[in-house]
Amino acid sequence: MIYFTEFKSPIGMIELRGTATALTGVFMQEHRHEPTRPAGAMRDAGPLRSAQRELEEYFAGARREFSIALDPVGTPFQMRVWQALRAIPYGETISYLDLAQRVGNPRAFRAVGQANGHNPISIIVPCHRVIAADGSLGGYGGGLERKRILLALEKVTTEAG
C-alpha cells in the first residue's frame, strides 16, 4: 500500500509518499518529473509522520542528516547516482562532472544530470547540492528559486546564487 500526505513548508506544499516502512517520494508543487500518484494510494499521514517531522526539523535548521528508511524506484544507474547524492555533506555542493566521476563514469555528466533531475526523494536525497561546474545553479526539478532557498538554508554560496 502506498500512502501520501501533504504539508506546508518554507518552499511551498510538499507531498510525501511511502509505504508503512519506507519513504518513496518527496515532491514539491509543480515538480518537473513528479510521477503520477499510484492508483489506490491512500491519504494517511500516519506512516509518513517521521518523514514529515525530519523535514520540518531540516527546515528549522535543527537537522542536517536524515535517518528515515528510503525506497526510491529507478534504474540501476539512477540508483547509483541517488546513492552518490546521499554522500554529499550538508552545506556542500559538487558539480555534475564530480557526480559523474563518483559514479564511475566521468563522461556521463549529462546522464547523471538526468538521473539527478528524476530523483524521487528530493531534499532528503540532496539533488539540490549539485551545481554547474562554473558555480551557477544549473537546473532543479522543483525550480531554481527553491534550489536557492535550500542552499541558503544550508548556507551554501554559489557564484550565481
Side-chain angles (χ1 to χ4, degrees):
M1 170 64 65
I2 296 292
Y3 301 97
F4 73 96
T5 191
E6 298 168 323
F7 73 98
K8 190 173 183 173
S9 80
I11 59 171
M13 292 301 291
I14 292 180
E15 180 176 318
L16 303 177
R17 296 180 194 168
T19 65
T21 58
L23 186 66
T24 60
V26 175
F27 303 103
M28 299 161 234
Q29 289 176 314
E30 301 165 10
H31 201 109
R32 190 174 338 157
H33 300 293
E34 178 180 356
T36 303
R37 186 182 302 140
M42 179 184 293
R43 181 184 292 274
D44 185 349
L48 302 164
R49 196 163 280 124
S50 293
Q52 181 174 337
R53 184 186 69 249
E54 287 194 16
L55 281 164
E56 288 171 340
E57 291 168 356
Y58 168 83
F59 286 120
R63 177 172 292 276
R64 292 177 173 231
E65 295 179 10
F66 295 91
S67 63
I68 55 174
L70 306 178
D71 190 18
V73 175
T75 68
F77 179 76
Q78 287 173 325
M79 299 295 273
R80 282 198 330 267
V81 170
W82 300 338
Q83 189 62 38
L85 289 172
R86 294 188 70 196
I88 305 169
Y90 179 96
E92 294 183 22
T93 59
I94 65 170
S95 72
Y96 293 97
L97 176 59
D98 292 335
L99 185 56
Q101 290 170 335
R102 290 183 184 196
V103 299
N105 195 343
R107 296 175 67 179
F109 60 91
R110 282 186 180 35
V112 161
Q114 279 286 96
N116 192 53
H118 284 83
N119 168 24
I121 305 179
S122 298
I123 305 166
I124 294 171
V125 176
C127 51
H128 62 280
R129 295 180 188 154
V130 182
I131 62 174
D134 67 1
S136 64
L137 293 181
Y140 189 58
L144 288 181
E145 185 55 30
R146 287 187 180 114
K147 187 171 186 170
R148 280 186 195 92
I149 292 168
L150 293 170
L151 292 175
L153 174 72
E154 296 183 17
K155 302 199 179 356
V156 174
T157 57
T158 62
E159 288 196 17

